[in-house]
Amino acid sequence: MPRRPAPQVQPPPVRDRFSTRDLVAEAAHGIGARPARLLLTIVGTVLGIGSLVVTMGLAQTAAGQIARQFDAVAARQVMVEPATARSQGGERATGRIPWDVEDRLMRLAGIEAAGALSSVDVDDAVVTAVPVSDPSAPVPASPLVMAATPGLLTALQGHVVTGRYFDAGHDDRGDRIVVLGARAAQRLGVSRVDRQPSVFIGDRPYTVVGVVDGVVRRADLLDAVILPVGTARADFGLGTLEQAHAHIAVGAGPVVGEQVPVALAPNSPETINAQAPSPPSAVRQNVQADVNAIFLALGAVALLVGGLGIANVTLLSVRERTGEIGLRRALGASKRDIGRQFLVESTVIGLLGGLIGSALGVAVVLVVSVAREWTPILDTWVALGAAGMGGVIGLAAGTYPALKAAGVEPIAALRGGT
């Protein structure tokens, strides 16, 4: 009977003498052995990562703030004027704004307030606050006289300083009342309206019912005496409206710009020009791109300096620890173990710098936003990604020193190491 061959016993797998736990312990010891050097090493990374976070955060915050201000003024205003054409006598209007412009505009979706205005020709009548004038006294410059519809103040986002603004009833009846712009009221000496002061346009008295201010889009109204359109038509023969304004919802500009000419002149919309704002996204993107371009360049320089600092310190550490490297090689550590140790050290150093820099960057964005009364805007992934970028920089910076350390021969290291 043939003998069966004895079963071959497989030798146990050769295990690495240095486990992952040993690797982490050695790397932690190497990092913490010189805390002063560690702090100096991560300064560059902290500055670079912090600059990037501050750049992105302030760029997003500033862009949002500018967009908000843009939305609050320009992006929510539509101005309407009759189209003009050149002739031998100069430019002439080819269209006209209808008297019921407010009603027509308020029927359109996206319009929140609407009003119209026009200058009033009062001939040579002088606007004063007293009924009797001294013929021998110099004639003061008269304020402008303007006519407006009841909805104009709301459409221009103005406000009443004292008194009230006239309403549709005053306009329909043609009441002899006026509203003064803030500077015109100061010039005429009218500071309160509870005693029903009057101003005179020529020899006609008009009761002052209010004083207005804050009309940003038409600052000339602050120097004007403002009549209801119905009053201007009855007393001065106002024949047309020169301009209309609408306060619109955010983002409704393009649609409203197309609808307004049709609403005001259905048979000839080309005779009406509507200046509607474009969406503010382009403004936001341009501002953010300009800010990013400046600060990202500074952040990139700081990151480069930080990476070079980590590489130099890690390379210096390799030279100082040549004896340690030789001893570990003699005890059985492989080149891979040595290289991994220094890679872990440089990566951890970079990650620490990234975490600290990201935290400082977020803090700077918050402090600046609070100081400026802004709403801070910062993508969460920017802060997390910036912290991770510090680790990537440390890994890249430690590659060459790790290869240098892995190439150290045990005998040469023990002979020349310390």
Side-chain angles (χ1 to χ4, degrees):
M1 182 175 181
R3 297 179 59 185
R4 295 181 180 179
Q8 296 182 356
V9 179
Q10 297 291 336
V14 179
R15 298 181 60 185
D16 195 346
R17 292 177 179 269
F18 296 93
S19 63
T20 303
R21 183 177 179 179
D22 298 328
L23 173 65
V24 174
E26 290 293 334
H29 175 74
I31 293 172
R34 299 173 178 83
R37 178 184 295 181
L38 173 64
L39 292 177
L40 293 176
T41 304
I42 66 175
V43 165
T45 307
V46 168
L47 293 177
I49 296 298
S51 299
L52 289 178
V53 174
V54 170
T55 296
M56 301 301 294
L58 291 184
Q60 293 176 357
T61 302
Q65 185 69 16
I66 292 172
R68 179 182 300 175
Q69 294 179 357
F70 183 82
D71 292 344
V73 183
R76 302 192 66 179
Q77 291 290 331
V78 173
M79 186 177 68
V80 183
E81 292 180 317
T84 58
R86 291 186 175 275
S87 61
Q88 294 181 352
E91 289 190 353
R92 62 180 182 85
T94 59
R96 58 185 298 129
I97 298 176
W99 298 111
D100 60 344
V101 57
E102 280 193 18
D103 294 334
R104 297 194 185 194
L105 291 180
M106 291 303 296
R107 296 191 194 108
L108 301 179
I111 292 184
E112 299 177 352
L117 76 162
S118 181
S119 58
V120 178
D121 185 5
V122 297
D123 295 329
D124 295 327
V126 178
V127 179
T128 63
V130 293
V132 179
S133 60
D134 184 1
S136 62
V139 179
S142 296
L144 300 172
V145 179
M146 306 287 290
T149 60
L152 181 68
L153 186 65
T154 305
L156 293 177
Q157 297 294 283
H159 61 271
V160 177
V161 176
T162 183
R164 57 167 296 185
Y165 192 72
F166 51 78
D167 55 30
H170 298 123
D171 189 26
D172 294 338
R173 294 188 301 268
D175 294 341
R176 287 189 173 178
I177 62 171
V178 295
V179 172
L180 302 180
R183 292 194 291 261
Q186 184 178 7
R187 183 189 305 178
L188 295 171
V190 177
S191 58
R192 51 191 300 179
V193 298
D194 54 346
R195 297 180 181 177
Q196 297 184 333
S198 297
V199 296
F200 293 82
I201 304 178
D203 57 355
R204 295 173 180 171
Y206 293 84
T207 302
V208 179
V209 298
V211 178
V212 299
D213 199 354
V215 190
V216 178
R217 296 287 290 177
R218 284 297 301 260
D220 56 331
L221 291 176
L222 300 179
D223 297 297
V225 175
I226 307 171
L227 301 168
V229 168
T231 305
R233 295 178 68 185
D235 291 354
F236 300 100
L238 181 67
T240 184
L241 294 172
E242 296 176 353
Q243 199 175 83
H245 290 268
H247 184 70
I248 64 174
V250 176
V255 176
V256 170
E258 295 178 359
Q259 293 178 344
V260 165
V262 178
L264 299 185
N267 297 326
S268 53
E270 69 278 359
T271 62
I272 299 294
N273 289 333
Q275 300 179 14
S278 58
S281 57
V283 176
R284 183 186 299 110
Q285 292 174 359
N286 290 338
V287 171
Q288 188 169 352
D290 292 340
V291 176
N292 283 347
I294 297 173
F295 286 97
L296 285 178
L298 298 177
V301 172
L303 282 177
L304 179 60
V305 173
L308 291 177
I310 294 175
N312 289 333
V313 172
T314 307
L315 190 59
L316 179 62
S317 179
V318 170
R319 294 178 179 177
E320 290 180 348
R321 296 160 63 185
T322 303
E324 175 191 337
I325 296 172
L327 180 59
R328 293 196 64 203
R329 289 294 308 277
L331 293 176
S334 64
K335 292 184 178 182
R336 181 180 179 185
D337 294 329
I338 300 299
R340 286 166 57 191
Q341 175 185 342
F342 283 92
L343 276 180
V344 170
E345 289 184 15
S346 61
T347 302
V348 171
I349 292 174
L351 187 59
L352 286 175
L355 289 172
I356 297 174
S358 182
L360 289 178
V362 172
V364 170
V365 172
L366 292 176
V367 170
V368 172
S369 299
V370 171
R372 301 292 298 176
E373 296 183 353
W374 292 350
T375 300
I377 301 174
L378 179 62
D379 192 347
T380 305
W381 291 107
V382 172
L384 296 179
M389 186 179 297
V392 174
I393 292 172
L395 178 63
T399 300
Y400 175 73
L403 294 175
K404 195 78 173 176
V408 174
E409 293 297 333
I411 297 178
L414 292 174
R415 286 178 179 174
T418 57

